[in-house]
Amino acid sequence: MGDRILYFYKRENAFYRDKKRTNLLMEEKDAGDSLKLFYCGLPEYYKRRSKWSVEKLFGLMQSCCEYVSADSCYLEEGFEKELAEAGIRLTSGGQRMCGGLIRKTAAQLQGIDGILYLEGGFGKRMELPLPDGMLRKLRCFFYLGEKSEQYEVLEENLWQEYGMPLLSAKGAHDLAACRIRRLLVLDDRREGKADRKMLPERCVYLDLWSDAERRAQMEKDRKGIKYISEYVYLSRHFEGIK
């Protein structure tokens, strides 16, 4: 699970700036779960009549990623659109959200009494580092996907630690029957559209893979749902330090 992330932003009238670093989640020192964020200002470039070609800029960004051994990289949102139009497509969120950041974002949620986990089909054991206080207040924990090894891990942990069964979900009727006040959706799929029809209003959607298509779906069609991802979290963090 990666914990090195590089964030690019455009800095007007400036050449390439040296990389700086900030550490978050320091409360997780003992667990070795800190998240290292590197941010990098890039020069203005022009699509025409400029020595800064798109290819050269892309090469610079790739070398920055290699220099800090980044597990994933992100772009300032406006910069992302601009580069995409020019032919550069960096995949944001190449890694699953690290455990420390899952805990930090989940700890900010209030009133969650049910969880729907959308299984990603990795075929390996991946525990969900959710806050203990949240899990103890749950009424239901649903699982949607193949009953893989991940299912067995969740089932064993929930029953042994909290005395809670893991329920298989097939559709919206399963969620409605439990009368959940506020649902947290954990999407652990690398790709795939969000099943918007089965998600109730006012639920919280935690996208563990920062999928751009899912984010766009939520912003366009389901504005009543709170969307959270690593990309969104980091974008907000960097607004105050550029």
Side-chain angles (χ1 to χ4, degrees):
M1 213 182 299
D3 65 354
R4 286 174 175 263
I5 297 171
L6 183 59
Y7 185 93
F8 294 107
Y9 64 95
K10 183 176 71 173
R11 193 170 184 100
E12 295 183 356
N13 301 318
F15 195 68
Y16 165 67
R17 297 298 181 99
D18 289 338
K19 290 162 286 298
K20 300 178 181 179
R21 182 179 69 191
T22 181
N23 292 333
L24 295 181
L25 314 176
M26 297 307 292
E27 70 275 11
E28 302 295 338
K29 272 185 178 178
D30 294 339
D33 214 0
S34 64
L35 174 66
K36 297 184 185 300
L37 305 180
F38 301 81
Y39 48 104
C40 177
L42 291 173
E44 266 189 315
Y45 78 101
Y46 301 91
K47 299 176 184 177
R48 299 177 182 175
R49 301 177 186 175
S50 173
K51 61 182 179 181
W52 271 104
S53 66
V54 172
E55 291 76 17
K56 185 176 180 181
L57 187 63
F58 189 36
L60 173 62
M61 295 164 78
Q62 288 178 314
S63 67
C64 289
C65 288
E66 293 174 1
Y67 182 81
V68 300
S69 301
D71 295 296
S72 57
C73 56
Y74 295 91
L75 297 172
E76 178 183 0
E77 191 163 11
F79 194 20
E80 181 181 36
K81 294 177 181 178
E82 185 178 346
L83 293 181
E85 291 174 357
I88 292 181
R89 296 192 178 276
L90 281 180
T91 302
S92 291
Q95 294 284 322
R96 185 180 190 256
M97 184 185 289
C98 69
L101 193 51
I102 293 175
R103 275 190 290 272
K104 193 172 183 68
T105 54
Q108 300 173 9
L109 307 177
Q110 301 294 327
I112 296 296
D113 61 346
I115 289 179
L116 170 63
Y117 176 72
L118 305 181
E119 186 261 346
F122 301 112
K124 59 182 179 179
R125 302 170 68 90
M126 299 181 75
E127 296 185 13
L128 295 174
L130 296 171
D132 184 72
M134 171 186 287
L135 292 171
R136 294 192 183 281
K137 294 177 182 179
L138 291 182
R139 298 171 61 187
C140 301
F141 198 119
F142 290 99
Y143 184 99
L144 181 60
E146 298 293 329
K147 290 189 177 182
S148 60
E149 193 171 2
Q150 176 67 36
Y151 180 91
E152 296 175 0
V153 171
L154 281 174
E155 184 178 43
E156 181 179 354
N157 290 347
L158 286 174
W159 183 252
Q160 290 187 357
E161 298 294 330
Y162 307 100
M164 179 184 298
L166 182 59
L167 306 173
S168 295
K170 296 181 180 179
H173 59 281
D174 293 324
L175 307 179
C178 290
R179 298 181 181 179
I180 299 171
R181 292 188 297 272
R182 197 174 193 203
L183 180 72
L184 171 63
V185 179
L186 297 173
D187 196 337
D188 207 355
R189 302 170 300 165
R190 283 181 179 268
E191 56 186 16
K193 294 182 179 180
D195 191 347
R196 291 163 292 173
K197 294 182 179 179
M198 74 177 296
L199 302 181
E201 289 296 327
R202 294 189 66 253
C203 77
V204 179
Y205 194 97
L206 184 54
D207 188 352
L208 301 182
W209 288 88
S210 295
D211 185 83
E213 185 177 359
R214 290 196 288 256
R215 178 163 58 100
Q217 285 179 332
M218 292 298 178
E219 292 174 351
K220 179 180 178 181
D221 300 330
R222 298 300 303 271
K223 296 182 180 179
I225 293 177
K226 182 178 179 64
Y227 176 89
I228 300 175
S229 71
E230 189 173 63
Y231 179 90
V232 171
Y233 180 88
L234 294 179
S235 296
R236 290 173 180 170
H237 171 75
F238 278 99
E239 283 177 359
I241 63 175
K242 289 187 292 184

